Amino acid sequence: MQKTLKKLHCQNRKKFALMTAFCIGMNTAGMAVPRVHAADAGEKTYIIMTEGSQSAYDVLEDEVANIDEDAIVQDNVAVVELTKKEADKLEKLDEVLYVEEDILLDGSDYEEEGDVFLDQSCVDVEDQWNLDAVNANEQQYDQADGTIKVAVLDTGVDVSEDIDIAGRINLVPGEEEVSPMFEDVSGHGTAVASVIAAKENDIGVTGINPNVELYSVKALDDAKQGPLSRIIEGLHWCMENDIDIINMSFGTPVHSEIFQQVISDAYAQGILLIAAAGNRGNTSGDNIEFPAAFPEVIAVGATDTQGELSEMSSAGTELELLAPGERIPAIGFLDYIVCTEGTSMSAPHVTGAA
């Protein structure tokens, strides 16, 4: 396996050099655009949640200028540009549950010590220690009765001969025409997907469970960031498409009532929700990020190669499971083998096993 990894590494260094300039240009052309309209001075983006039986569009059409169907994330959730005065007015309506500013969430990988994308130290690891750690190296987990549909809610998953994708959707505005071959310039979602389900074929890395039916739901951009409104849109897509397990390798320290309600809706539908705990260290008490900190979500922290809690992993009372999170070999952009770290990579170990 070690020789195969090194061979693939050399091949992909050439591919990477040839493609970098093209992909940087493509990424700039596909930058995100506002959902409804450009904010005027003093306006911010807000998420509005109405009572469950109330259509957000019906409630807001007479209250918000320029609202259209594109503003509706799900039946009772809308995203609009408002002034603080307009937001306060909406919050007083009986039909409105919550009005919150649209916050930003970040991918939970760990890059303090350098660019993970260029770190090749994991390629020289004999076998994959992380598979041994979860007892998946000698024999892959069998698939349960029926098809298990797993969604990677992330930065997208590039087309790869080593990862089968059953379906995909790109929710990032301006990327409607981006080819799935270059959907994930950051490599984050592709790495997560490879930890879950990369094929056992002696090429590259092997995932925890290649038998799952994997779906790519791109809600984070190539900077590994995405607004909560887009995360909610992705969760709603998963609920509509009968996904069984959702992997969420991202987080925020900011609590949101709207976010918790949507998570609760997905949980009530029977979806297993697994999320990265965050990389805020474990010396300062409780610091688990959301959505992992929500009670409906399994919060996954990271271990080092010795099976001990990693120094970079968040910790706290909401932490439920630990999984490998340091020196994890994974597939990145253009099938490039990368050495990844962070609770971003811990969560998909649990997802694959689940």
Side-chain angles (χ1 to χ4, degrees):
M1 182 176 182
Q2 185 177 357
K3 291 181 179 178
T4 306
L5 285 171
K6 288 182 177 179
K7 180 179 179 181
L8 187 62
H9 163 54
C10 294
Q11 293 173 341
N12 284 329
R13 284 181 67 89
K14 296 176 182 178
K15 276 202 288 186
F16 174 68
L18 290 171
M19 294 301 302
T20 296
F22 166 74
C23 293
I24 289 174
M26 179 196 66
N27 186 31
T28 303
M31 291 178 66
V33 296
R35 171 182 294 280
V36 181
H37 57 79
D40 296 327
E43 287 189 340
K44 295 181 178 180
T45 304
Y46 286 85
I47 306 175
I48 296 97
M49 174 175 276
T50 57
E51 294 281 358
S53 60
Q54 297 287 331
S55 161
Y57 184 81
D58 291 344
V59 171
L60 299 176
E61 64 175 335
D62 294 328
E63 303 288 341
V64 179
N66 301 321
I67 190 170
D68 56 31
E69 295 291 347
D70 290 338
I72 307 304
V73 175
Q74 61 183 59
D75 291 343
N76 68 327
V77 178
V79 184
V80 294
E81 306 290 346
L82 301 170
T83 63
K84 181 66 166 60
K85 183 178 180 179
E86 289 171 332
D88 290 342
K89 179 183 176 182
L90 287 178
E91 200 165 17
K92 294 175 182 177
L93 295 177
D94 292 339
E95 302 91 342
V96 173
L97 281 178
Y98 306 110
V99 178
E100 298 177 349
E101 285 190 34
D102 200 1
I103 58 176
L104 201 64
L105 290 89
D106 297 278
S108 301
D109 54 350
Y110 188 71
E111 299 186 41
E112 186 174 279
E113 297 180 0
D115 188 343
V116 178
F117 186 70
L118 298 178
D119 184 355
Q120 291 296 304
S121 59
C122 285
V123 174
D124 296 325
V125 175
E126 186 173 354
D127 296 321
Q128 291 178 242
W129 78 269
N130 55 310
L131 296 187
D132 286 328
V134 295
N135 296 317
N137 207 5
E138 296 301 322
Q139 181 176 353
Q140 299 301 305
Y141 290 112
D142 292 330
Q143 185 165 322
D145 292 338
T147 300
I148 305 300
K149 299 172 71 173
V150 176
V152 176
L153 183 57
D154 214 287
T155 59
V157 180
D158 282 343
V159 170
S160 169
E161 63 178 350
D162 209 25
I163 307 171
D164 286 337
I165 299 296
R168 64 176 69 240
I169 184 171
N170 190 338
L171 301 173
V172 178
E175 293 195 5
E176 293 81 4
E177 303 301 322
V178 172
S179 168
M181 291 186 66
F182 312 112
E183 180 178 84
D184 180 25
V185 173
S186 75
H188 187 265
T190 304
V192 168
S194 72
V195 172
I196 296 171
K199 298 176 186 177
E200 188 179 15
N201 55 7
D202 293 327
I203 298 175
V205 302
T206 299
I208 302 298
N209 193 342
N211 295 318
V212 304
E213 187 172 293
L214 208 60
Y215 292 80
S216 170
V217 183
K218 181 169 182 177
L220 305 183
D221 61 23
D222 294 330
K224 293 173 285 189
Q225 294 182 322
L228 176 56
S229 55
R230 202 183 300 145
I231 300 298
I232 291 172
E233 191 174 2
L235 288 167
H236 185 58
W237 185 93
C238 291
M239 286 186 273
E240 285 186 328
N241 288 273
D242 298 321
I243 295 297
D244 297 301
I245 305 174
I246 303 175
N247 188 95
M248 298 176 285
S249 288
F250 54 79
T252 175
V254 181
H255 179 271
S256 162
E257 294 287 353
I258 294 177
F259 196 8
Q260 183 160 14
Q261 183 58 57
V262 176
I263 286 289
S264 180
D265 292 343
Y267 179 80
Q269 188 172 306
I271 298 176
L272 182 62
L273 303 158
I274 299 170
N279 307 314
R280 297 179 175 273
N282 47 66
T283 60
S284 58
D286 289 5
N287 57 11
I288 306 297
E289 294 184 344
F290 300 99
F294 292 136
E296 299 87 353
V297 180
I298 296 176
V300 185
T303 70
D304 58 22
T305 56
Q306 302 305 309
E308 301 293 333
L309 178 64
S310 173
E311 291 183 1
M312 54 77 179
S313 176
S314 293
T317 55
E318 300 95 345
L319 191 63
E320 292 166 291
L321 292 174
L322 295 176
E326 293 187 12
R327 296 177 56 78
I328 308 300
I331 298 171
F333 182 56
L334 294 175
D335 274 351
Y336 200 67
I337 303 299
V338 294
C339 185
T340 58
E341 297 196 339
T343 55
S344 264
M345 297 303 122
S346 304
H349 284 80
V350 175
T351 296

